[in-house]
Amino acid sequence: MTNRVWANTLRAGVMLAALLSIVPPASANLIAPGTTAAPDVFGALGGTLLASTGTLAYSTSAYSGSYQSSVFSSDPANPFCANCLDFVYMFTSDQTSIDPIHRATVTVFNGFSTDVGYDGTSIGTAPQTVDRTLNGNVVGFNFLPVVNGVDPGVLPGGQSRVLVVYTNATSFAPGSLNLIDGDVAHLKGYQPTVVPEPGTLLLVGSGLAGLVGSRFARKRRA
């Protein structure tokens, strides 16, 4: 093989590796706004834990239990990028709860790509479908009632699988987790957010400086 052919082959291999590193796997079930699909089943979570609520209690008129919301980075399984964030949730229902929990929603995800499912190595009730509202804000996990022997919602005394939303976001802020059936539990969570570009921060800073300067000048004239 000549040096030129070897160099061309090497360049082609590098380009292919780069493409594979940025293109999501073909098996990924990316949930676009306004769609409903079966959830993806992921392997065990990896990466670095960036934030967690810890285990917190909740209570409504229809059910009570505990939950946890977390954010991970640098998860090799995230299909979007090496530093993209995973938003992770899990909840339980006390044995004394009156109703099962048939839906969980998390917000706010508009403007971001999402791959939605659950950790297949975790235990508990798995969602049967996942969805996203038309504006992309809300991602939902649906634990449907019994139909032809299919598992019901998260029953009293039960728990959900570990629910996962892979995103292409690289920063996050406080968000929400909501558990829905006979009542709604509004719980703490996390959401993706956009970090302003340095140029945008410079413009905002310049504008504030100008505003302060103009007010100071008016006071001096007065």
Side-chain angles (χ1 to χ4, degrees):
M1 182 180 291
T2 66
N3 290 339
R4 178 175 296 178
V5 172
W6 173 256
N8 288 339
T9 303
L10 180 61
R11 280 196 294 270
V14 170
M15 291 177 64
L16 177 60
L19 286 172
L20 290 175
S21 69
I22 62 175
V23 176
S27 60
N29 187 7
L30 308 185
I31 304 298
T35 61
T36 300
D40 274 342
V41 181
F42 306 122
L45 287 169
T48 303
L49 177 65
L50 299 183
S52 176
T53 60
T55 302
L56 300 176
Y58 73 90
S59 180
T60 74
S61 63
Y63 37 81
S64 61
S66 62
Y67 74 96
Q68 184 168 344
S69 302
S70 307
V71 183
F72 288 82
S73 178
S74 305
D75 183 349
N78 188 306
F80 297 106
C81 73
N83 295 319
C84 290
L85 301 181
D86 308 348
F87 294 85
V88 181
Y89 314 87
M90 193 280 290
F91 63 90
T92 71
S93 179
D94 290 338
Q95 190 68 52
T96 54
S97 295
I98 299 171
D99 293 335
I101 299 168
H102 285 144
R103 180 166 166 81
T105 63
V106 293
T107 60
V108 174
F109 289 82
N110 62 308
F112 296 94
S113 298
T114 59
D115 185 4
V116 184
Y118 62 90
D119 180 347
T121 68
S122 62
I123 61 173
T125 302
Q128 296 174 39
T129 62
V130 293
D131 58 46
R132 195 170 174 190
T133 54
L134 189 59
N135 62 7
N137 280 351
V138 180
V139 172
F141 299 85
N142 301 301
F143 305 87
L144 304 180
V146 169
V147 176
N148 297 326
V150 175
D151 286 344
V154 179
L155 296 173
Q159 67 182 49
S160 72
R161 296 284 190 113
V162 174
L163 311 175
V164 181
V165 182
Y166 289 136
T167 72
N168 62 340
T170 55
S171 59
F172 65 95
S176 68
L177 163 66
N178 305 289
L179 307 181
I180 304 168
D181 194 69
D183 204 338
V184 180
H186 300 286
L187 312 176
K188 295 179 181 179
Y190 300 98
Q191 68 180 56
T193 188
V194 177
V195 176
E197 295 292 334
T200 302
L201 292 174
L202 179 61
L203 288 173
V204 172
S206 300
L208 291 174
L211 180 61
V212 172
S214 64
R215 288 183 175 178
F216 180 72
R218 283 199 297 271
K219 287 183 178 180
R220 290 196 61 183
R221 285 197 297 270

